[in-house]
Amino acid sequence: TAWSIGDPLRHVDGIFLHKSSWIDENGIVSSWNGNNLVWTLPVTLWNLSYLKDFNVSRNTISGTIPNSITQLTGLEQVWIRNNLFSGPLPTNWSSIKTLKVLDANTNQFTWTIPATLATSTGLQRIDLWSNQLTGTIPSTFGSLKVLSALVLGNNQLQWFIPSELGNATWLQFLDLRNNRFVGTVPNSFTQLTGIIGTTNKWFYIEWNALNRNIWPNHEAILTPSVDSWFTILTNKWRNNQKDITPPIISWTGTVPVV
C-alpha cells in the first residue's frame, strides 16, 4: 500500500523510505536509516503491532522514546543511534521477550539503565555509548547468556561493577570506559574468556575511578591466556584516576644537608 508523510500509520505493516531499508518476507520490518530526518516520532507509530525491526539511526530525531514501544511485543531490533533522543529510556521491557538488539549509541538519554531489559534472554547487543546515563549496571545483565556486546562507555555510570556480570560468559566486547566506576574488577570476570583470551581483548575500562589494585587476588587465578591480558589491564590503571583525591603526605624531621 502506498504511504506518505501525514497518512495514518495504524494499517501500515512495512515502510520503505531509503535504498538501504529492507522489508522481510512477512513485510513487517521498518527502516528509516540515514534519511536526515528532523522531527519527533509520531505517537501512532507504536500502534504498528507487527513491527519487528525499528531503525531510525543517523538522523536528527529528537524527543523521547515512550514506554509505548514496549507494546510491540514482537520487537527484535531497535536501532536509534546517532540522533537527539533524550529523557529516560523506557523502563518496562518485561513485555518484550524477543529483543535481540538495542542500539541507542550517541544520543542524550538520561536516568538509569532499565534492569527489565534482561527479560529478553536472547539479547545479543546492548549499545548505549555516549549518552548521559547515571546509576550503575543492572546485576540482571548477568543472566543474559547470549549477550556478546555490552557498550556502556562515555556515560556517567558509577558505583561498583556488579560481579554478576561475570556470568554473561558469551561476552566478546565490553566497553565501560569514561564513567565513574569505583572499586575493582570483579574476580568473576575470569569466566569471560571471550575478552580475556590472547586473541580477543575487547575490554575497555579506562577513565574511571578504579582502585590501584584493579584486580585483587589475581595471582591465584592467572593462567597463561590471562597473563598478557592482565598486563594490559593493569597498565590501564593509569587512566583510572577520575575523581580520585591525591593523598596528603605529612613529612617530619629536617631536610638533610647534601
Side-chain angles (χ1 to χ4, degrees), residues 7 11 16 21 65 72 116 133 135 138 144 164 169 198 202 224 230 250 252:
D7 286 347
H11 299 305
F16 186 93
S21 306
I65 301 292
L72 307 178
T116 54
L133 297 168
L144 297 173
E164 292 86 350
T169 54
T198 54
W202 304 117
F230 182 74
S250 299
T252 60

Side-chain angles (χ1 to χ4, degrees), residues 18 20 30-37 54-61 78-83 85 101 103-107:
H18 189 264
S20 66
S30 168
S31 178
W32 298 335
N33 180 13
N35 281 281
N36 297 316
L37 299 173
F54 179 57
N55 190 338
V56 294
S57 296
R58 301 194 302 277
N59 288 289
T60 50
I61 304 174
V78 176
W79 297 85
I80 54 176
R81 60 163 46 210
N82 293 95
N83 278 288
F85 290 114
V101 174
D103 191 326
N105 184 311
T106 314
N107 279 281

Side-chain angles (χ1 to χ4, degrees), residues 4 16 21 31 33 59 62 74 79 105 117 128 171 181 186-187 194-195 197 208 236 245 251 255-256:
S4 61
F16 186 93
S21 306
S31 178
N33 180 13
N59 288 289
S62 60
W79 297 85
N105 184 311
L117 279 170
L128 303 176
L171 273 174
F181 292 115
N187 281 332
I195 61 173
N208 280 284
K236 288 182 178 181
T245 303
W251 296 92
V255 177

Side-chain angles (χ1 to χ4, degrees), residues 229-241:
W229 176 83
F230 182 74
T231 301
I232 295 172
L233 178 64
T234 51
N235 287 340
K236 288 182 178 181
W237 182 88
R238 292 174 299 172
N239 292 329
N240 270 288
Q241 301 180 52

Side-chain angles (χ1 to χ4, degrees), residues 147-160:
L147 184 66
S148 61
L150 180 60
V151 185
L152 304 177
N154 206 26
N155 279 283
Q156 300 171 31
L157 300 172
Q158 55 193 338
W159 207 232
F160 297 98

Side-chain angles (χ1 to χ4, degrees), residues 99-163:
L99 195 64
K100 297 177 181 177
V101 174
L102 173 60
D103 191 326
N105 184 311
T106 314
N107 279 281
Q108 300 172 15
F109 287 110
T110 57
W111 206 239
T112 58
I113 301 174
T116 54
L117 279 170
T119 304
S120 291
T121 56
L123 257 173
Q124 300 171 13
R125 177 186 179 88
I126 300 175
D127 188 344
L128 303 176
W129 166 268
S130 197
N131 281 277
Q132 301 170 31
L133 297 168
T134 58
T136 191
I137 304 172
S139 60
T140 53
F141 283 6
S143 65
L144 297 173
K145 301 302 183 184
V146 295
L147 184 66
S148 61
L150 180 60
V151 185
L152 304 177
N154 206 26
N155 279 283
Q156 300 171 31
L157 300 172
Q158 55 193 338
W159 207 232
F160 297 98
I161 301 171
S163 60

Side-chain angles (χ1 to χ4, degrees), residues 142-236:
S143 65
L144 297 173
K145 301 302 183 184
V146 295
L147 184 66
S148 61
L150 180 60
V151 185
L152 304 177
N154 206 26
N155 279 283
Q156 300 171 31
L157 300 172
Q158 55 193 338
W159 207 232
F160 297 98
I161 301 171
S163 60
E164 292 86 350
L165 193 58
N167 296 323
T169 54
W170 200 252
L171 273 174
Q172 306 291 315
F173 191 100
L174 179 58
D175 191 339
L176 306 179
R177 72 185 118 175
N178 200 22
N179 281 287
R180 301 175 181 174
F181 292 115
V182 299
T184 59
V185 175
N187 281 332
S188 60
F189 275 33
T190 56
Q191 301 175 105
L192 303 180
T193 55
I195 61 173
I196 65 175
T198 54
T199 56
N200 297 313
K201 306 184 183 71
W202 304 117
F203 179 22
Y204 299 99
I205 54 168
E206 300 95 319
W207 303 109
N208 280 284
L210 297 171
N211 293 347
R212 178 182 290 275
N213 188 14
I214 202 168
W215 194 356
N217 304 319
H218 66 274
E219 295 87 353
I221 54 178
L222 285 181
T223 65
S225 64
V226 178
D227 192 22
S228 60
W229 176 83
F230 182 74
T231 301
I232 295 172
L233 178 64
T234 51
N235 287 340
K236 288 182 178 181

